[in-house]
Amino acid sequence: MDISFLGGPRPQRGVGVVAPFDFALDRELWRWVPDEVSLHLTRTPYVPVEVSLDLARLVSEHETLSDGVHTLTAIAPEVVAYACTSGSFVGGIAGERAMCEAMTRAGAVPSVTTSGALLEALTELGVRRVALVTPYTVSVTRALEQYVAEAGVAVTGCAFMGLTRHIWKVPYRDVAGMARRAVGRRRVDALFISCTNLPTYDVIPQLEAELRIPVLSANQVTMWAALRRLGTRAVGPYQALIDPAARIDPATPSGPVLPDVPDVPEQEQQ
């Protein structure tokens, strides 16, 4: 059978992704990617450490990131993304910028990180007050709060899960429940759900409709920022970051319409 009439394959544009060794959500990343773009993933070397600030530092060392980027150069991606939230906020804003510089030197292409993409997304949406949901322990969660505060954004609500492993197994209902607790009836401009290993794709539209604020997630902002550097858009239904038509009209009342959730001690939030 002559298939030459099909032409193709279509020209391919590539996004290289360096992820921690335990990253398990490749399929979720692909859901934000348009047909003409391919993802090329590689992982950092395994280290026998649970999710913690120590692990965040280990998987974000410049040499580790440069080695990861080097493994992608043969397939010539147009942009490289480091898909790890804690690994890219653990050194603060200066540390995140230095990571991008190291990756760009290694691959000679633009680079983004999850935490850098978060700040970019908050600026895009004009967010000054944010609520946070994390699967982390209290120490890692506090480091995220400090990173966001360093950027001049107030953290007005927070809920965390206290997990140190198997984060990709958390069901959507738990993510949604923590989101409601973090927001409560507080005045917030947006919600951020941290960790690239926490599933969020399908829960974002539900929470945006319910809470009536933009809902951002680690994988979402990473793909949004990387694809933005290609001059193309991420795909996803009813997500305010991706589709301006999904953003709440500033003239309408904003904020959640849920029963109040009182603040509780950190150990009870886990």
Side-chain angles (χ1 to χ4, degrees):
M1 177 181 177
D2 182 10
I3 60 172
S4 60
F5 71 92
L6 294 174
R10 295 176 60 186
Q12 174 178 282
R13 308 187 71 187
V15 174
V17 179
V18 179
F21 62 90
D22 62 345
F23 180 71
L25 298 181
D26 305 55
R27 182 174 59 180
E28 176 162 291
L29 290 184
W30 275 97
R31 299 180 72 181
W32 275 287
V33 178
D35 289 343
E36 70 272 15
V37 176
S38 286
L39 296 182
H40 310 297
L41 277 83
T42 189
R43 283 167 170 76
T44 63
Y46 170 78
V47 290
V49 179
E50 294 182 331
V51 176
S52 61
L53 289 175
D54 287 339
L55 178 61
R57 296 184 183 100
L58 286 171
V59 297
S60 61
E61 293 176 344
H62 289 189
E63 183 177 356
T64 297
L65 296 178
S66 296
D67 288 346
V69 172
H70 282 143
T71 67
L72 299 167
T73 54
I75 48 181
E78 296 180 47
V79 61
V80 174
Y82 177 50
C84 180
T85 322
S86 61
S88 52
F89 68 61
V90 69
I93 290 177
E96 189 278 331
R97 290 173 179 167
M99 292 170 62
C100 285
E101 292 170 1
M103 291 191 295
T104 295
R105 285 195 302 270
V109 293
S111 301
V112 301
T113 74
T114 300
S115 294
L118 166 61
L119 299 189
E120 190 176 330
L122 294 177
T123 299
E124 171 74 10
L125 296 173
V127 173
R128 305 309 303 165
R129 296 168 300 190
V130 67
L132 303 177
V133 167
T134 89
Y136 312 132
T137 61
V138 62
S139 60
V140 182
T141 301
R142 293 294 173 258
L144 173 58
E145 291 179 339
Q146 293 166 10
Y147 174 81
V148 172
E150 186 183 355
V153 178
V155 177
T156 57
C158 183
F160 62 95
M161 302 179 189
L163 302 179
T164 59
R165 61 177 64 192
H166 298 163
I167 291 172
W168 67 89
K169 296 181 180 180
V170 175
Y172 280 150
R173 65 177 176 273
D174 292 355
V175 176
M178 296 296 285
R180 297 183 186 106
R181 176 167 296 187
V183 173
R185 293 185 64 86
R186 302 173 182 91
R187 296 294 298 174
V188 298
D189 302 320
L191 170 72
F192 175 60
I193 305 172
S194 190
C195 190
T196 54
N197 231 2
L198 186 65
T200 57
Y201 186 91
D202 294 302
V203 80
I204 291 173
Q206 169 197 333
L207 287 173
E208 289 203 343
E210 182 178 328
L211 302 176
R212 295 188 62 76
I213 55 174
V215 175
L216 308 175
S217 79
N219 284 330
Q220 178 206 45
V221 298
T222 304
M223 289 295 95
W224 169 80
L227 293 166
R228 201 182 198 194
R229 282 153 178 76
L230 294 186
T232 189
R233 291 175 55 180
V235 296
Y238 199 84
Q239 297 179 33
L241 178 64
I242 294 169
D243 182 7
R247 298 175 188 176
I248 301 298
D249 186 340
T252 64
S254 62
V257 292
L258 302 172
D260 192 14
V261 179
D263 292 329
V264 294
E266 290 167 352
Q267 64 269 24
E268 294 181 28
Q269 291 188 36
Q270 296 181 31

